[in-house]
Amino acid sequence: MGEFDLIERYFKRPATRSPLGVGDDCALLAPAAGMQLAVSTDMLVEGRHFLSTVDPARLGHKALAVNLSDLAACGAKPLAFTLALALPAIDEAWLEAFSRGLFALADAHGCELVGGDTTRGALNLCITVFGEVPAGAALLRSGAKPGDELWVSGTLGDARLALEVFRGTLALPPEAFEQARRRMEQPEPRVALGQALRGIASAAVDLSDGLVGDLGHILAASGVGATVDADAACALIGIPAAAALDPALRRTCALAGGDDYELLFTAPPAAAAAVLEAGRLSATPVARIGRIEAAPGLRIVDAQGGPIAQAFAAFDHFQARA
Amino acid sequence: MGEFDLIERYFKRPATRSPLGVGDDCALLAPAAGMQLAVSTDMLVEGRHFLSTVDPARLGHKALAVNLSDLAACGAKPLAFTLALALPAIDEAWLEAFSRGLFALADAHGCELVGGDTTRGALNLCITVFGEVPAGAALLRSGAKPGDELWVSGTLGDARLALEVFRGTLALPPEAFEQARRRMEQPEPRVALGQALRGIASAAVDLSDGLVGDLGHILAASGVGATVDADAACALIGIPAAAALDPALRRTCALAGGDDYELLFTAPPAAAAAVLEAGRLSATPVARIGRIEAAPGLRIVDAQGGPIAQAFAAFDHFQARA
């Protein structure tokens, strides 16, 4: 099978919402009047973003999920995506499962594949995703104000727990491991919540490198500081068995776990009811875990407000990870 | 240096034409009213699309050029691009030169970097480029009609000559090699010509996999056949020293060379003067090399119309290349 057969068999579908999809030099997108196009690109490399043993259907899901998560963090509605794929060889079983996982998530969000590229090379997945957002309504990292409350969606730290099991530093009961592993391999992007938060949240970011690191982006872009309640964050670890783990490990997972793909966002206290309603409408749990302050820097405290002396490193793709 | 320092130092520039550039979860693009957004993605892998010894400034140029060439083939005006980069390590001299070559071409076309991703991995460059084109005016592969003339811009086959020198199958005088090598490593996308051909050309494609293969895309999409004058195509090889080479090698280079990044397009005979004027306005040579016909298939003939019995393979990234 050659390059064009591969595209034809696994990746070519008629475009239904875009004026032109796969098969020409370019795809054509037509955002509706008054809408801006939100664009994000994420590249996934074997051994760094996923293990070589991962189920290819889950990998197809995750490659798109991490990109949809960026759209969610901007409050954008998914429209379309391109996929560039470097493969060491053509493995039809792999391609069948990968494309199945990819399109299942794409279809769930009405996001169509409009173009891309395939080539031989070390396994590498690069997706660029497109969404629409009303002009001026995108959620940005730069809008947090002192006094705003800090919120997070869903659960924290479960993907990191699975990673620690893979690394052999932790053991979990089989059921808990399977739950954590699914969280790592098949994150659900918070697309509906992101759109529901338009006009309510003052700033937002998606959690990919760990809460402390990603919160740092909001603080830097907004010129503010924050206090985070570590106990409130640790209470959001989804796996019940985690409650019995060492508190320092639980804080690492919840505050610097990485691969959470939840939304971290800020909103004025007066908007708290609207935030809870946005969570309800999008069927997404949301919880308050801290507060934005004028004093620069990040303060991590326990439920009683006492300081926690523990260092947290954000994930950096060019640094070794602890 | 970490991932974010790398982006800050080499790739972060203020967005001037896009509402939001590098530094948030998404970039925001706002195509003008009545315009569609043309989108294309190309991934470049070391050893397959470029040699490890290539000057990184030329590589930066080429990575964007091959994407701009896709916009040109649609008649779109460049707006912005995203860059995803997997690097085996942070090499500051390499990054300085790569980003210099990249931005020189980007600036020449008013195309701004609005986002991307960086990670550690086998060297891999993935660019997604965005352009605008008036709704309904994009040049497509599907519009060729029997009777249309077949045109090509610029020169053919020079990049392939350089490749053959690198492979050791051919020797060229130093000056000719340098000229061919520049054609391979620093192609100039025909962006101005593509826009000038809107409303004139009936179909267009950019030449990346070789003329025969890329023409095949027009023929398949348009449901037509063609006759190509191999002598007229060979006359477009840019390097004067090539005139002395074996005719079969010259035909391979001109008709199936790959990496030309010229535009191949069709237009009705009545539009010939307009095509020549589009070439003049965009300072791009254009030449007629064949004709579209109702009979399916591709016929390659010499200047006297006699058939040429030579097989030409289109470049396929999953097949070995002759």
Side-chain angles (χ1 to χ4, degrees):
Chain A
M1 184 167 34
E3 179 178 0
F4 298 108
D5 299 326
L6 184 162
I7 295 167
E8 191 71 36
R9 183 164 322 169
Y10 297 107
F11 298 111
K12 191 168 177 180
R13 291 172 153 206
T16 58
R17 303 168 64 206
S18 306
L20 186 68
V22 173
D24 214 296
D25 290 89
C26 292
L28 294 174
L29 303 179
M35 301 298 258
Q36 292 179 334
L37 203 76
V39 177
S40 186
T41 292
D42 269 307
M43 179 180 264
L44 274 70
V45 173
E46 183 178 291
R48 187 144 286 267
H49 301 90
F50 59 91
L51 303 172
S52 61
T53 52
V54 69
D55 171 354
R58 290 190 180 186
L59 182 60
H61 174 106
K62 183 166 180 175
L64 183 58
V66 304
N67 279 282
L68 291 176
S69 184
D70 286 313
L71 289 186
C74 285
K77 180 171 178 289
L79 277 183
F81 67 106
T82 62
L83 166 69
L85 196 56
L87 298 170
I90 293 180
D91 174 339
E92 298 202 31
W94 190 95
L95 282 162
E96 187 282 319
F98 176 83
S99 59
R100 181 164 34 84
L102 179 80
F103 283 123
L105 185 66
D107 291 347
H109 291 283
C111 189
E112 61 187 8
L113 179 61
V114 293
D117 196 10
T118 55
T119 185
R120 193 188 291 269
L123 187 54
N124 184 308
L125 316 169
C126 184
I127 287 183
T128 301
V129 76
F130 310 99
E132 290 187 312
V133 61
L139 304 177
L140 305 182
R141 296 175 176 182
S142 52
K145 299 270 183 308
D148 282 357
E149 294 174 314
L150 182 66
W151 297 77
V152 69
S153 65
T155 62
L156 293 173
D158 300 299
R160 179 62 175 264
L161 285 170
L163 183 65
E164 296 300 332
V165 174
F166 278 115
R167 285 174 169 166
T169 65
L170 180 69
L172 284 176
E175 203 175 308
F177 172 59
E178 192 42 51
Q179 188 185 345
R181 179 181 187 167
R182 185 171 285 271
R183 207 58 193 74
M184 177 174 83
E185 294 178 347
Q186 278 194 302
E188 286 300 333
R190 300 303 192 177
V191 170
L193 176 64
Q195 292 171 72
L197 288 172
R198 290 198 303 234
I200 297 171
S202 52
V205 69
D206 86 311
L207 293 181
S208 56
D209 298 337
L211 192 149
V212 164
D214 292 319
L215 175 55
H217 298 314
I218 288 184
L219 303 187
S222 301
V224 295
T227 292
V228 169
D229 177 345
D231 290 337
C234 288
L236 299 175
I237 297 177
I239 290 150
L245 298 175
D246 170 64
L249 174 62
R250 298 175 68 230
R251 286 194 290 263
T252 293
C253 291
L255 295 176
D259 261 6
D260 291 311
Y261 301 105
E262 296 291 353
L263 296 187
L264 180 71
F265 56 97
T266 61
V275 169
L276 292 169
E277 179 67 3
R280 198 186 62 77
L281 288 173
S282 60
T284 312
V286 292
R288 260 170 290 206
I289 58 162
R291 188 173 289 273
I292 298 297
E293 293 156 348
L298 174 59
R299 292 155 290 281
I300 297 175
V301 300
D302 61 22
Q304 286 70 47
I308 287 177
Q310 182 177 344
F312 300 97
F315 189 86
D316 184 310
H317 285 107
F318 287 98
Q319 315 276 358
R321 191 164 173 177
Chain B
M1 181 165 39
E3 181 178 357
F4 299 108
D5 300 326
L6 185 163
I7 295 167
E8 190 73 37
R9 184 165 321 170
Y10 296 108
F11 297 111
K12 191 168 177 180
R13 290 171 154 208
T16 58
R17 303 168 64 208
S18 306
L20 186 68
V22 174
D24 213 295
D25 290 89
C26 291
L28 294 173
L29 303 180
M35 302 297 257
Q36 292 180 333
L37 204 74
V39 177
S40 187
T41 292
D42 270 307
M43 178 180 265
L44 274 68
V45 174
E46 184 176 289
R48 189 144 284 267
H49 301 89
F50 58 91
L51 304 171
S52 60
T53 52
V54 69
D55 171 355
R58 290 190 181 186
L59 182 60
H61 173 105
K62 183 166 180 175
L64 182 59
V66 303
N67 280 281
L68 291 176
S69 184
D70 286 313
L71 289 187
C74 284
K77 181 172 180 288
L79 277 182
F81 67 106
T82 61
L83 167 69
L85 196 56
L87 297 170
I90 292 179
D91 174 340
E92 298 203 31
W94 189 95
L95 282 162
E96 188 282 318
F98 175 84
S99 60
R100 179 163 37 82
L102 179 80
F103 283 123
L105 184 67
D107 291 347
H109 290 283
C111 189
E112 62 187 8
L113 179 62
V114 294
D117 196 11
T118 55
T119 184
R120 193 187 292 268
L123 186 54
N124 184 308
L125 315 168
C126 185
I127 286 182
T128 301
V129 75
F130 311 100
E132 36 176 41
V133 61
L139 305 176
L140 305 181
R141 296 175 175 182
S142 52
K145 298 273 185 304
D148 282 357
E149 293 174 312
L150 182 66
W151 297 77
V152 68
S153 65
T155 63
L156 293 173
D158 300 301
R160 179 60 175 266
L161 286 170
L163 183 64
E164 295 301 331
V165 174
F166 278 115
R167 285 174 169 169
T169 65
L170 180 70
L172 284 177
E175 202 175 308
F177 172 59
E178 191 41 53
Q179 188 185 342
R181 179 182 186 166
R182 182 172 287 272
R183 205 62 190 69
M184 177 174 84
E185 293 178 349
Q186 278 195 301
E188 285 302 333
R190 301 303 193 179
V191 171
L193 176 64
Q195 292 171 72
L197 288 172
R198 290 199 302 236
I200 297 170
S202 51
V205 69
D206 87 312
L207 293 181
S208 56
D209 297 337
L211 191 148
V212 163
D214 291 320
L215 174 55
H217 298 314
I218 288 184
L219 302 187
S222 300
V224 295
T227 291
V228 168
D229 177 346
D231 290 336
C234 288
L236 298 176
I237 298 178
I239 289 150
L245 298 175
D246 171 64
L249 174 60
R250 297 176 67 228
R251 285 194 290 264
T252 294
C253 290
L255 294 176
D259 261 8
D260 290 312
Y261 300 105
E262 295 292 352
L263 296 187
L264 181 70
F265 56 98
T266 61
V275 170
L276 292 168
E277 178 67 2
R280 197 185 64 75
L281 289 172
S282 60
T284 312
V286 291
R288 259 169 292 203
I289 59 162
R291 187 172 290 272
I292 298 297
E293 294 155 348
L298 173 58
R299 291 155 290 280
I300 298 175
V301 300
D302 61 23
Q304 286 71 47
I308 287 177
Q310 182 177 344
F312 300 97
F315 189 85
D316 184 308
H317 285 106
F318 286 98
Q319 314 279 355
R321 192 162 173 178

